[in-house]
Amino acid sequence: MYSERMSTPERLIEATRELLWERGYVGTSPKAIQQQAGAGQGSMYHHFTGKPDLALAAIRRTAQELRATADATLGIEGSAYEKIASYLLRERDVLRGCPVGRLTMDPDIIASDELRAPVDETITWLRGRLAEIAQQGVRDGEFPASVEPGDVASTIVATVQGGYVLARASGSTAAFDAGVRGLLALLAPRD
């Protein structure tokens, strides 16, 4: 499942990331992590103090990956609308959902300040990055001066996260796609 070149800690982190996404914190047992990573109990506890420590490393990795992906799609050359469209239209596994967004629905992660922190920081970062782009759109006259960049950023994040929920509930990407089309229609520059 994992590359032979991956170190044991890397395999453990990747296995934990997958299991957190699929099963949540409670459903991710140390034994399941070890089995998926092909690592023994001694190896796991040699590299990590326990499940919370390993979960934190996995959550941080997931957050870093989301930031890198978002930054790549938002960092294109072009207008604010084109940058936002790039982010909204990027290829996603919609029916699987957002690995960071899914963590917000896990009561054990949300109850832990330490585990919740990278999730909150990532969502805050994304909203900030999107607000900068919306501000660019206002500054360049692409969006009306009355547009509040922070509100636009929150709307974009809510559309994506809500779209995942609607798609998963229906078993179809149609609702996600409709939300993206609707938001892009609302943001489209007017002649």
Side-chain angles (χ1 to χ4, degrees):
M1 172 175 235
Y2 301 110
S3 164
E4 291 179 19
R5 296 181 187 165
M6 287 179 83
S7 68
T8 300
E10 288 299 310
R11 289 194 324 268
L12 288 164
I13 290 169
E14 289 304 312
T16 304
R17 288 178 66 203
E18 281 296 314
L19 291 167
L20 285 173
W21 198 355
E22 293 169 7
R23 301 179 183 182
Y25 187 81
V26 169
T28 300
S29 69
K31 184 174 182 158
I33 294 167
Q34 293 159 21
Q35 286 177 336
Q36 184 140 338
Q41 182 177 358
S43 292
M44 181 175 154
Y45 290 102
H46 173 74
H47 296 290
F48 300 95
T49 60
K51 178 180 164 181
D53 184 39
L54 182 51
L56 181 59
I59 292 167
R60 285 180 175 152
R61 175 78 52 83
T62 297
Q64 288 172 334
E65 189 175 280
L66 183 140
R67 284 183 186 209
T69 301
D71 218 20
T73 57
L74 293 169
I76 65 165
E77 290 295 322
S79 67
Y81 179 84
E82 290 167 333
K83 291 176 182 187
I84 292 168
S86 172
Y87 173 73
L88 290 171
L89 296 171
R90 79 167 174 79
E91 191 171 320
R92 296 175 161 85
D93 189 351
V94 173
L95 294 178
R96 195 155 185 224
C98 173
V100 173
R102 295 268 302 265
L103 295 171
T104 66
M105 294 181 252
D106 191 311
D108 294 290
I109 290 173
I110 295 305
S112 165
D113 290 342
E114 189 174 31
L115 295 176
R116 185 182 67 248
V119 174
D120 181 40
E121 290 164 7
T122 299
I123 292 171
T124 299
W125 172 86
L126 180 59
R127 289 176 56 222
R129 183 78 173 89
L130 289 163
E132 290 170 8
I133 292 167
Q135 181 62 48
Q136 171 195 336
V138 171
R139 186 179 57 248
D140 294 348
E142 190 177 352
F143 300 146
S146 61
V147 164
E148 172 54 49
D151 292 351
V152 171
S154 291
T155 301
I156 294 166
V157 172
T159 298
V160 170
Q161 294 302 319
Y164 283 131
V165 171
L166 295 174
R168 287 176 56 83
S170 68
S172 167
T173 62
F176 182 94
D177 297 339
V180 166
R181 282 192 311 270
L183 182 54
L184 288 172
L186 291 171
L187 293 174
R190 307 289 184 247
D191 292 332

